[in-house]
Amino acid sequence: MSRIVIALGGNALGNSPKEQQERIENAAPALIGLIKQGHEIIISHGNGPQVGMIRQAFDTASAVNDKVPAFDLPECTAMSQGYIGFHLQKGIKKELRREGMPWHVATVVTQIVVDQNDPAFLNPTKPIGSFYSEEEAKKMMEENPMLHMKEDAGRGYRQMVASPKPVDIAERDSILNLLDHEFIVIACGGGGIPVVLDENGDYASVPAVIDKDFASAKLAELVNADYLFILTAVDRVAVNYGKPDQKELVHITVDEAKRLCEEGHFAPGSMLPKVEAAMEFAGSKEGRNAVIASLEKAPLAMIGESGTRITLS
Ligand code: ADP
Ligand code: MG
């Protein structure tokens, strides 16, 4: 039996609650397929489109109705973890019941500790939320000096947040306890809610986003997983992606992956963080496997018939 962390791509979850529920129901047999093969699974997921929709909804509503408050990013991330977790719990439980399997499913609202001296905080790079005019943006920054607003590709001003690296998972013990009791755990949604330890030793949330691929690698490391599966929209990682000489990769070592990253084969913001997260996990200990594959072909990837496997040697 292996312990497998499965990271689901946010873009694979559709553009509305209805689409999301349908896609999860379609994916559930593949996930349960892994449990039927005798493995233990822990699920993490992205939330880019979902947290964007939530933020947009509150921004729009609070602009026209003073009974609706503005919600900051940590709260929006928590909401996205809750509603994506809800659909995953429903979809997975339905499939488990159909298969007569007694497992439990639970979502853990997850805070991830980051280092407040992470250099990423000096250069916020991730645009989030609505667009504003220059005038509005300046007024917002005057009112809240913590806010970074920047011109985004000629479309107006947007809040920019940092993307620090995950250091620890605040709810790690809760996750491990649930795993000990045959729970399928859903955790670290959207890369988790970033927090730093304040001077009293309490967690304080920070307006930042953690890449879900890095958060999933950290989760896999902390629960001592054997496999990290990063499931996305393509069957395999490719070199010369989108070009006539594109070639899909079946198995590469961490050193080979490093060289391919340096040669620029993987797009920053999409495939590059996946390959880097895979290298980090596979490189952390001999015997740890990272696999980047498509959601539909996850069971095939498990037996080595699909996906790209990354190992230390
Ligand atoms: P997710 O929502 O799963 O994180 P992303 O869109 O962020 O998905 O990243 C996956 C996408 O990366 C693929 O669907 C593909 O379009 C793109 N991509 C970029 N470079 C490569 C590559 N070298 N090989 C395969 N896919 C690539
Ligand atoms: Mg992504």
Side-chain angles (χ1 to χ4, degrees):
M1 185 200 83
S2 298
R3 180 172 276 188
I4 308 172
V5 168
I6 300 170
L8 301 174
N11 290 310
L13 297 176
N15 290 312
S16 68
K18 186 169 174 283
E19 254 180 52
Q20 178 169 293
Q21 183 72 72
E22 282 167 7
R23 295 205 183 178
I24 287 173
E25 280 184 20
N26 290 338
L31 299 174
I32 301 312
L34 292 172
I35 300 178
K36 278 177 81 192
Q37 289 175 6
H39 308 297
E40 192 177 52
I41 65 170
I42 302 149
I43 299 170
S44 67
H45 58 82
N47 77 342
Q50 296 75 15
V51 76
M53 289 183 252
I54 293 170
R55 181 68 189 247
Q56 183 88 45
F58 279 105
D59 282 357
T60 310
S62 68
V64 296
N65 182 343
D66 54 21
K67 288 209 176 73
V68 181
F71 273 83
D72 282 338
L73 189 57
E75 283 72 22
C76 293
T77 304
M79 285 185 226
S80 75
Q81 289 185 346
Y83 113 86
I84 298 171
F86 159 58
H87 280 172
L88 282 165
Q89 284 175 213
K90 262 182 31 171
I92 291 171
K93 196 71 198 176
K94 194 167 166 184
E95 185 66 18
L96 284 170
R97 197 181 43 74
R98 200 175 282 146
E99 295 283 338
M101 293 162 77
W103 273 258
H104 310 288
V105 194
T107 301
V108 177
V109 173
T110 316
Q111 305 172 85
I112 295 193
V113 183
V114 298
D115 178 358
Q116 51 191 337
N117 298 316
D118 190 308
F121 283 113
L122 300 174
N123 181 27
T125 53
K126 291 239 179 191
I128 58 150
S130 307
F131 291 94
Y132 297 92
S133 70
E134 187 176 350
E135 210 171 63
E136 287 169 320
K138 286 196 169 139
K139 188 160 167 274
M140 288 164 78
M141 282 190 282
E142 266 165 35
E143 285 167 6
N144 181 358
M146 293 286 285
L147 212 59
H148 289 264
M149 305 285 291
K150 214 168 126 187
E151 232 288 315
D152 184 13
R155 295 175 297 177
Y157 279 71
R158 275 178 109 182
Q159 185 182 351
M160 303 292 282
V161 295
S163 186
K165 287 281 184 324
V167 174
D168 197 6
I169 295 176
E171 286 76 17
R172 179 166 72 128
D173 290 343
S174 310
I175 295 168
L176 289 170
N177 268 299
L178 288 166
L179 289 175
D180 279 348
H181 291 88
E182 293 204 323
F183 274 76
I184 296 171
V185 181
I186 299 151
C188 299
I193 303 161
V195 294
V196 293
L197 271 178
D198 69 14
E199 59 274 18
N200 303 319
D202 294 319
Y203 293 124
S205 53
V206 286
V209 289
I210 301 168
D211 192 295
K212 78 105 185 9
D213 299 313
F214 292 127
S216 305
K218 182 53 77 179
L219 173 65
E221 196 190 312
L222 291 181
V223 302
N224 198 18
D226 307 291
Y227 288 87
L228 168 63
F229 268 54
I230 301 180
L231 301 181
T232 186
V234 288
D235 288 345
R236 286 191 163 110
V237 182
V239 289
N240 303 317
Y241 180 69
K243 297 185 188 145
D245 55 348
Q246 169 173 328
K247 186 171 158 272
E248 291 187 336
L249 302 168
V250 175
H251 182 198
I252 49 173
T253 64
V254 170
D255 285 343
E256 283 163 351
K258 187 159 179 262
R259 182 175 54 79
L260 296 171
C261 286
E262 283 162 6
E263 287 174 12
H265 286 284
F266 314 126
S270 61
M271 189 47 79
L272 184 62
K274 294 184 202 313
V275 175
E276 287 177 343
M279 285 161 59
E280 210 157 291
F281 175 68
S284 63
K285 203 173 174 183
E286 191 68 62
R288 286 180 169 168
N289 287 253
V291 179
I292 300 172
S294 67
L295 186 53
E296 309 82 71
K297 300 209 174 139
L300 280 179
M302 191 64 217
I303 53 171
E305 287 177 13
S306 189
T308 302
R309 186 176 298 248
I310 298 165
T311 54
L312 192 53
S313 55

